[in-house]
Amino acid sequence: MGVIERDPHTGHGTTGHEWNGIKELNTAVPWPIWAFLIATVIFSVVWWILMPAWPLGDTYTKGLLGADVRQNVATDLKSAEEKRSIWASRIEKEELSAIMSDSELMQDIRETGHALFGDNCAACHGARAEGGPGYPKLTDSAWLWGQTPDAIFETIRAGVNSGHPDSRFSQMPAWGRDQMLDRKAIIDVSAFVKSLSDANKGGNGSPEQLAAGQKIFVDNCASCHGSDAHGAHQTGAPDLTDNTWLYGGDAASIYESIYNGRQGHMPAWESRLSNADRKILMIYLLDLGQNSP
Amino acid sequence: MISTLTDTERQIALVISGLLSLVGLVLSAAGRHDPLGAQGFIILAFGLSGVFLVISGFHLPEPTEKRFSHYYDEPIKAGIIIAMLWAIVAMFVGDWVAWLLAYPEMTFDAAWASFGRLRPIHTTGIIFGFGGNALIATSFHVMQRTSRTRLADQLSPWFVLGGYNLFCILAVTGYLMGVTQSKEYAEPEWYADIWLTIVWIAYFALYLRTLARRKEPHIYVSNWYYLAFVLVVAMLHIVNNLAMPVSLGSSKSYTVFAGVQDAMVQWWYGHNAVAFFLTSGFLGMLYYYLPKRAGRPIFSYRMSIIGFWGITFFYVWVGSHHLHYTALPQWVQTLGMTFSVMLLVPSWIAAANALLTLNGAWHKVRDDATLRFMMVAALFYGLATFEGSFLAIRPVNSLSHYTDWTVAHVHAGTLGWNSMIIFGAFYYLVPQLWKRERIYSPVLVEVHFWLAIAGIFIYVFAMWNSGVIQGLMWRTYNNSGTLAYSFIDSLNAMHPYYIARATGGLLFLMGAVIGFYNICMTIRSSPAAAKTRNEQPATIGQSRLRPGE
């Protein structure tokens, strides 16, 4: 044991130990610390008495309040469902025109649709349904599968190339990769396709090239895209004469679409979202489209 | 380095390096169709450099008897430099991923640059690379000084330091290739885990052997904390990493635990990694360097005792507070929460003991940035432990969990507490170990201090705000009875805070770079004139030597 000294600053004695110059005071533990410790212990004991706390073999102390997280979640979900069902059940039952002319109901749809769309659809279609390369914009008039409420609802339910039994099939063949057309033919038909939406009609192709392209188009493409190239909702083939492009309207993207083909994938939501939710989304999209410039 | 080893130690070092190379060779052959092959090559290269290093110094004369009467500081010096290198790399990656969160497209379409792979490089690099090396280095220093004895042998410290860093390197290079167990803070795969176990046992043995040689009747508080750190981390590491490799040639393994048990074991590990790696070990550091620098006795020995046992006892219960409102049975959550609340008391006792120790030395805190680093560390320790206990309360947790609030909390701890105490300890140690008059530039220490403070405040306030906003957005219902915001709305709301956070992190990183420069320049400056004192542990027959500092 070393010598017990007194620290001049605090007046407390040391323990008499010393390590490489470090000493320790033997200061008593200040009372607030004990008080604080006791308070936290009391808090814990009270909590243990009220709540599920200690294991007892294959069961546990249930606590006086009978709290149970699983039950809490179940009741919370149920009461939320009840609150919602007041208006949600109307959506399932009522006619579209009635719903869309009821401003209060539409307010519910806009609020709910925003979160539903944000959590389920925005990752592909963009937060405001503005689309992006490979993912269609959902607020314009260029619909691949039709703009009727039923068509939109059906796309959401069954998806596109989704594996759902009623899925829509979107197959743009790979003309180049699968050797159905040679390189020159693809270049020609690309130029033709580009000329369809180009303001000065000629695009960059010579008249001979466009003529050759047109012929290839009529022979190979018209069956899906239509002889006027306006697309067809039965095949999901896009209108090639407008300025809306799913995969891009520059020469390289068009060439790529034709050479390697395209098979967009849109998941089926039937098993993931309730009927009411899907209907809300459909109306939400229609509403967005009406209100977007 | 080799010149300080005895002949026998050199032979053993050669054998170990040779064996390691062999293991590396076997793994790289067995795992040639797997990332394991590349990892094997790293082990092989590491082993071969060991062999080369030992051979190059093999025929140097053995150290003289006199050398053995000095403290063995070479591994400490190496540890400090390695720790600083990790700090800079890992903080850089940390800031990178912070920017990545603000601008997620910044991944160059490369798998290695994705958030999921870079993030563990940051956490492993900073916790294990920076923190771990600092712990090892300072523990070697503290155990010798407070025991007044030299390290038990010359080889084990190098084995521990080198082996540990091999583990860290395997870990971070593995992440880049997508190798991970997907357990937070326990990402490294089975072969790295086995290796760390061996290294850790050597560390523990070295510590005990050195303590057994001590010339002081009592064991100083710091050593309790360091020992708790080494012992409990060994236990956590082994249990949480129990896993079955797919094959000897595969880096993938599957944990032996399933479902909620797996989650519980993981967070028992995860939280106690915070407790015993980032708290216990660092309190060991605080308890030595702060009184030393302040020149004051520890405020209360009794508070040291209840602080230590309180922390050690309460901490091991609280891991389940990471799993509130999950499939984990509620009674386990209750225990985690209540023990977290009680844990606040011993944590604050430790912080208060440190701050009260400064009574009578506050003028030094004002003038000496090194001591100020340590003081701020103690403050942030108090703040972070309060916040931790608070966040563990279930209703609070229902708001904070999974949000940036947790990130704010962690960084108040790691930046404010862990990094600050390390920097303080290093600024104290470097001039001493290299026998320099003083640090190269006290002004730069001051600059580092204020950069660090600014960085922490910007970081933590940004994440507090962002976390609370996020939590509120996730739980706000609108009149229709549905959630008002989609997840992506909350992400958009985070964007400005992410930029602020990344800026705060950048300031902190700049501080660390300046610190490293200052340390290097101190080492390069000329040794303190003539009065170079050789510190010696007391040798038999000698009067009690007070290694003056």
Side-chain angles (χ1 to χ4, degrees):
Chain A
M1 263 286 160
V3 200
I4 295 185
E5 300 163 24
R6 203 150 280 283
D7 170 44
H9 185 81
T10 55
H12 296 299
T14 67
T15 52
H17 313 156
E18 183 179 341
W19 298 270
N20 197 28
I22 300 181
K23 296 176 189 167
E24 294 168 326
L25 302 179
N26 205 7
T27 317
V29 179
W31 69 264
I33 290 185
W34 294 121
F36 190 19
L37 188 61
I38 292 168
T40 58
V41 172
I42 292 177
F43 170 84
S44 300
V45 172
V46 171
W47 198 280
W48 293 339
I49 294 172
L50 296 179
M51 292 288 174
W54 285 93
L56 307 166
D58 56 3
T59 175
Y60 53 89
T61 59
K62 301 277 194 284
L64 295 181
L65 293 186
D68 184 304
V69 264
R70 277 156 226 264
Q71 264 170 26
N72 292 351
V73 173
T75 35
D76 281 358
L77 285 178
K78 207 163 146 234
S79 74
E81 193 52 47
E82 272 162 15
K83 195 166 159 216
R84 233 178 82 122
S85 67
I86 302 168
W87 58 271
S89 62
R90 284 186 54 199
I91 292 191
E92 280 194 271
K93 282 191 282 259
E94 289 181 22
E95 284 299 318
L96 193 59
S97 53
I99 297 174
M100 291 193 72
S101 55
D102 181 331
S103 65
E104 231 176 273
L105 204 49
M106 281 311 288
Q107 188 54 32
D108 289 330
I109 286 178
R110 284 183 197 121
E111 287 179 349
T112 310
H114 169 78
L116 267 179
F117 192 85
D119 285 338
N120 295 292
C121 325
C124 294
H125 290 288
R128 282 170 305 282
E130 72 275 19
Y135 301 104
K137 179 172 181 174
L138 301 176
T139 55
D140 57 10
S141 49
W143 291 89
L144 296 164
W145 302 96
Q147 67 275 59
T148 63
D150 285 346
I152 296 175
F153 188 76
E154 177 62 10
T155 310
I156 300 175
R157 181 182 80 89
V160 180
N161 296 336
S162 67
H164 186 284
D166 302 336
S167 170
R168 301 185 185 280
F169 287 101
S170 168
Q171 291 298 331
M172 163 69 190
W175 299 94
R177 199 179 61 213
D178 293 345
Q179 293 169 357
M180 293 180 285
L181 291 176
D182 59 25
R183 213 175 108 79
K184 179 178 175 303
I186 296 178
I187 293 174
D188 289 349
V189 76
S190 296
F192 171 72
V193 168
K194 184 143 174 56
S195 74
L196 293 173
S197 57
D198 225 323
N200 59 15
K201 288 297 170 190
N204 290 328
S206 60
E208 302 80 56
Q209 188 180 26
L210 294 183
Q214 179 163 29
K215 173 148 191 341
I216 298 166
F217 190 88
V218 172
D219 291 348
N220 298 287
C221 322
S223 54
C224 291
H225 288 277
S227 48
D228 52 2
H230 276 307
H233 294 158
Q234 301 83 355
T235 56
D239 185 341
L240 301 175
T241 63
D242 58 9
N243 268 316
T244 307
W245 293 94
L246 188 51
Y247 295 99
D250 56 298
S253 303
I254 295 178
Y255 181 86
E256 170 68 20
S257 291
I258 302 170
Y259 188 91
N260 275 324
R262 303 282 190 185
Q263 289 81 34
H265 175 88
M266 153 82 181
W269 295 92
E270 186 170 35
S271 57
R272 292 203 250 172
L273 295 175
S274 70
N275 196 48
D277 281 347
R278 278 180 276 124
K279 196 161 169 192
I280 291 173
L281 277 169
M282 183 260 285
I283 304 172
Y284 173 76
L285 288 178
L286 291 175
D287 183 57
L288 267 189
Q290 275 175 10
N291 296 328
S292 77
Chain B
M1 162 186 167
I2 301 303
S3 64
T4 61
L5 304 188
T6 63
D7 277 348
T8 344
E9 285 172 335
R10 290 176 202 178
Q11 284 155 13
I12 302 176
L14 203 56
V15 174
I16 295 177
S17 308
L19 281 176
L20 189 63
S21 317
L22 200 67
V23 171
L25 195 65
V26 171
L27 285 185
S28 54
R32 63 194 176 283
H33 303 305
D34 190 271
L36 184 65
Q39 300 261 288
F41 269 114
I42 294 176
I43 301 175
L44 179 63
F46 207 86
L48 288 181
S49 358
V51 172
F52 181 76
L53 198 73
V54 179
I55 290 181
S56 69
F58 204 79
H59 294 294
L60 294 174
E62 274 204 313
T64 56
E65 203 45 45
K66 188 161 165 291
R67 294 289 304 258
F68 289 116
S69 63
H70 295 175
Y71 289 129
Y72 190 47
D73 288 345
E74 276 75 6
I76 308 177
K77 294 180 180 175
I80 290 178
I81 293 172
I82 298 173
M84 286 307 291
L85 288 173
W86 276 110
I88 288 169
V89 172
M91 285 178 197
F92 172 76
V93 179
D95 205 45
W96 179 347
V97 293
W99 287 110
L100 198 54
L101 282 175
Y103 301 98
E105 59 283 353
M106 219 173 64
T107 55
F108 333 114
D109 268 343
W112 65 266
S114 59
F115 184 82
R117 293 195 185 178
L118 290 180
R119 193 249 187 198
I121 296 188
H122 165 59
T123 52
T124 299
I126 213 74
I127 301 177
F128 298 114
F130 176 45
N133 278 298
L135 282 169
I136 292 176
T138 56
S139 73
F140 286 168
H141 181 252
V142 171
M143 76 170 89
Q144 295 189 84
R145 297 310 190 276
T146 58
S147 304
R148 218 151 32 91
T149 189
R150 185 182 163 89
L151 286 172
D153 67 305
Q154 286 67 239
L155 182 58
S156 332
W158 290 114
F159 176 74
V160 172
L161 193 68
Y164 182 75
N165 280 289
L166 172 58
F167 164 78
C168 295
I169 291 170
L170 286 177
V172 298
T173 51
Y175 306 154
L176 283 177
M177 297 182 273
V179 177
T180 171
Q181 291 196 112
S182 312
K183 287 187 163 212
E184 203 173 5
Y185 311 127
E187 291 93 348
E189 274 289 356
W190 59 274
Y191 48 93
D193 290 335
I194 294 177
W195 174 244
L196 182 65
T197 310
I198 299 171
V199 171
W200 213 252
I201 290 170
Y203 185 20
F204 188 54
L206 172 65
Y207 212 126
L208 290 186
R209 283 159 61 219
T210 307
L211 274 188
R213 294 156 49 114
R214 73 178 188 279
K215 310 234 168 42
E216 296 286 0
H218 293 267
I219 298 179
Y220 184 58
V221 198
S222 290
N223 293 310
W224 313 343
Y225 276 115
Y226 278 122
L227 268 178
F229 144 65
V230 184
L231 187 65
V232 180
V233 167
M235 174 176 90
L236 300 168
H237 172 73
I238 292 173
V239 175
N240 191 37
N241 287 307
L242 288 174
M244 197 63 195
V246 171
S247 78
L248 263 187
S250 163
S251 58
K252 185 82 206 110
S253 68
Y254 288 93
T255 170
V256 300
F257 304 104
V260 77
Q261 274 93 348
D262 184 32
M264 186 61 248
V265 170
Q266 159 60 21
W267 283 108
W268 166 77
Y269 165 91
H271 197 79
N272 286 303
V274 177
F276 289 89
F277 211 97
L278 295 178
T279 302
S280 184
F282 282 84
L283 282 171
M285 225 183 268
L286 180 75
Y287 263 105
Y288 182 83
Y289 295 103
L290 181 123
K292 209 57 199 160
R293 186 72 178 192
R296 293 284 306 152
I298 290 291
F299 174 73
S300 168
Y301 173 58
R302 299 171 193 220
M303 277 165 71
S304 306
I305 296 183
I306 51 173
F308 174 78
W309 287 110
I311 286 175
T312 310
F313 175 67
F314 287 137
Y315 247 123
V316 282
W317 290 78
V318 304
S320 58
H321 72 213
H322 288 259
L323 297 167
H324 281 337
Y325 303 100
T326 63
L328 190 74
Q330 193 178 358
W331 63 265
V332 196
Q333 301 179 24
T334 303
L335 291 180
M337 169 189 137
T338 47
F339 276 87
S340 303
V341 170
M342 292 188 280
L343 174 62
L344 178 58
V345 184
S347 302
W348 270 19
I349 291 178
N353 208 9
L355 291 172
L356 290 170
T357 297
L358 291 173
N359 268 345
W362 287 102
H363 59 285
K364 293 192 191 168
V365 176
R366 189 192 56 210
D367 299 336
D368 175 10
T370 302
L371 186 57
R372 216 176 313 125
F373 266 106
M374 301 181 194
M375 187 276 291
V376 167
L379 273 183
F380 269 99
Y381 173 63
L383 175 88
T385 48
F386 170 76
E387 194 181 28
S389 299
F390 184 62
L391 295 178
I393 298 173
R394 289 179 76 239
V396 182
N397 196 268
S398 76
L399 174 69
S400 75
H401 204 181
Y402 310 116
T403 73
D404 288 336
W405 193 348
T406 310
V407 182
H409 167 58
V410 168
H411 285 83
T414 48
L415 301 180
W417 154 232
N418 300 116
S419 302
M420 295 302 261
I421 187 67
I422 294 180
F423 291 138
F426 281 5
Y427 281 132
Y428 165 82
L429 269 176
V430 166
Q432 250 201 46
L433 290 178
W434 275 273
K435 312 248 174 356
R436 301 292 184 265
E437 200 86 61
R438 58 177 176 82
I439 199 84
Y440 166 71
S441 162
V443 176
L444 285 183
V445 180
E446 203 62 60
V447 172
H448 179 185
F449 177 81
W450 289 109
L451 276 175
I453 291 286
I456 297 172
F457 275 92
I458 296 176
Y459 191 116
V460 173
F461 274 96
M463 289 293 97
W464 271 337
N465 270 317
S466 135
V468 173
I469 294 175
Q470 218 175 358
L472 290 175
M473 285 179 90
W474 291 347
R475 58 160 57 170
T476 304
Y477 279 82
N478 54 31
N479 292 333
S480 335
T482 37
L483 287 169
Y485 301 99
S486 64
F487 185 73
I488 195 119
D489 291 330
S490 71
L491 273 184
N492 283 335
M494 302 301 86
H495 187 69
Y497 298 104
Y498 282 163
I499 293 176
R501 180 259 295 273
T503 311
L506 191 62
L507 294 182
F508 201 86
L509 167 65
M510 280 160 55
V513 172
I514 290 176
F516 187 51
Y517 169 77
N518 208 356
I519 288 175
C520 292
M521 292 307 284
T522 310
I523 297 172
R524 289 187 51 190
S525 67
S526 51
K531 67 176 182 144
T532 313
R533 300 143 304 191
N534 269 334
E535 306 172 66
Q536 300 181 351
T539 34
I540 305 120
Q542 253 175 324
S543 67
R544 190 170 153 175
L545 231 160
R546 175 96 5 98
E549 274 152 354

